């Protein structure tokens, strides 16, 4: 489904190579973990996969077609195919949970209370829709971020350190949720320092010496 071929990426301003002939393929994996040292480029790699970073050479293919670097086409590609969970969640703290999840829907679908109820049930927040983000825990905020990414039914879910700020018990709960998401058919690509998170995935890459191993 996803392929990166001979990707070369330089760090802006310095021209230092971050990736050199980097290759990646999701192949038949339902989920893949990407690990590596801090500064190795894991988050940048996710930005390329999400279509946020197009300043690279090489080919990015999705379902056999080259992903365009044209901004308008790129936005459509992301909306149609990719769900994203960032490290800091990027939630609006002055709004309630339902309003945050609605941001993941198109304008035409934002009044779809049925979809919102279903996704809240999936992430275990059925009774929390009217609570503001400032009133909930870190683990609950992570669930909101997951719900917002999943509400548009993406083909691929990208997660950047999805349990990095959570305690051990909450991490286990989120990992169980990721297992459920995989069972429903959504493919996962997760950047993580955690071996526990990586072990949930059925494939694993290490970013090392500018390439994925």
């Amino acid at each position: 489904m996803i392929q990166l071929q001979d990707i070369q990426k330089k760090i802006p301003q310095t021209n230092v190579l971050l990736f050199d002939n980097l290759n990646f393929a999701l192949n038949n994996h339902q989920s893949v973990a990407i690990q590596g040292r801090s500064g190795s480029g894991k988050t940048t790699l996710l930005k390329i996969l999400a279509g946020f970073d197009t300043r690279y050479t090489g080919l990015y293919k999705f379902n056999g077609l080259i992903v365009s670097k044209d901004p308008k086409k790129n936005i459509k590609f992301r909306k149609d195919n990719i769900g994203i969970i960032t490290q800091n969640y990027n939630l609006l703290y002055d709004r309630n949970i339902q309003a945050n999840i609605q941001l993941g829907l198109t304008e035409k679908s934002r009044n779809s209370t049925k979809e919102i109820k279903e996704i809240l049930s999936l992430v275990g927040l059925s009774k929390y829709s009217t609570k503001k983000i400032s009133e909930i825990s870190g683990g609950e905020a992570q669930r909101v971020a997951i719900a917002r990414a999943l509400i548009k039914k993406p083909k691929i879910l990208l997660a950047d350190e999805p349990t990095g700020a959570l305690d051990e018990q909450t991490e286990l709960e989120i990992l169980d949720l990721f297992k459920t998401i995989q069972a429903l058919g959504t493919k996962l690509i997760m950047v993580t320092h955690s071996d526990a998170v990586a072990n949930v995935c059925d494939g694993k890459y290490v970013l090392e010496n500018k390439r994925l191993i």
Side-chain angles (χ1 to χ4, degrees), residues 146-159:
I146 293 170
R148 184 184 58 191
L150 288 176
I151 190 74
K152 63 177 184 178
K153 299 178 174 65
K155 297 177 179 69
I156 304 281
L157 182 62
L158 306 177

Side-chain angles (χ1 to χ4, degrees), residues 101-119:
I101 292 173
Q102 283 175 321
L103 294 174
L105 291 167
T106 62
E107 292 288 344
K108 292 180 180 179
S109 305
R110 285 191 179 171
N111 292 322
S112 178
T113 54
K114 180 183 178 183
E115 285 185 82
I116 292 170
K117 284 181 179 179
E118 288 175 352
I119 204 71

Side-chain angles (χ1 to χ4, degrees), residues 113-147:
T113 54
K114 180 183 178 183
E115 285 185 82
I116 292 170
K117 284 181 179 179
E118 288 175 352
I119 204 71
L120 283 171
S121 177
L122 175 67
V123 300
L125 295 175
S126 294
K127 299 178 181 179
Y128 286 66
S129 63
T130 59
K131 280 197 173 186
K132 288 187 177 180
I133 303 301
S134 57
E135 299 172 337
I136 62 178
S137 68
E140 289 162 347
Q142 176 66 296
R143 290 172 183 270
V144 177
I146 293 170

Side-chain angles (χ1 to χ4, degrees), residues 66-185:
I66 295 174
V67 175
S68 173
K69 293 183 180 181
D70 177 83
K72 289 184 179 179
K73 291 180 180 178
N74 208 267
I75 289 170
K76 185 178 188 308
F77 160 74
R78 186 163 53 250
K79 284 183 176 179
D80 291 346
N81 300 291
I82 306 291
I84 304 162
I85 305 169
T86 61
Q87 288 189 50
N88 59 4
Y89 313 148
N90 284 334
L91 300 174
L92 300 178
Y93 280 73
D94 62 332
R95 300 190 192 183
N96 64 27
I97 287 176
Q98 178 168 321
N100 271 274
I101 292 173
Q102 283 175 321
L103 294 174
L105 291 167
T106 62
E107 292 288 344
K108 292 180 180 179
S109 305
R110 285 191 179 171
N111 292 322
S112 178
T113 54
K114 180 183 178 183
E115 285 185 82
I116 292 170
K117 284 181 179 179
E118 288 175 352
I119 204 71
L120 283 171
S121 177
L122 175 67
V123 300
L125 295 175
S126 294
K127 299 178 181 179
Y128 286 66
S129 63
T130 59
K131 280 197 173 186
K132 288 187 177 180
I133 303 301
S134 57
E135 299 172 337
I136 62 178
S137 68
E140 289 162 347
Q142 176 66 296
R143 290 172 183 270
V144 177
I146 293 170
R148 184 184 58 191
L150 288 176
I151 190 74
K152 63 177 184 178
K153 299 178 174 65
K155 297 177 179 69
I156 304 281
L157 182 62
L158 306 177
D160 192 359
E161 295 291 355
T163 64
L166 306 179
D167 60 63
E168 185 176 354
Q169 179 57 41
T170 308
E171 178 183 69
L172 291 174
E173 293 171 0
I174 295 298
L175 292 181
D176 282 340
L177 177 55
F178 280 134
K179 291 176 184 176
T180 301
I181 292 167
Q182 290 180 67
L184 293 173

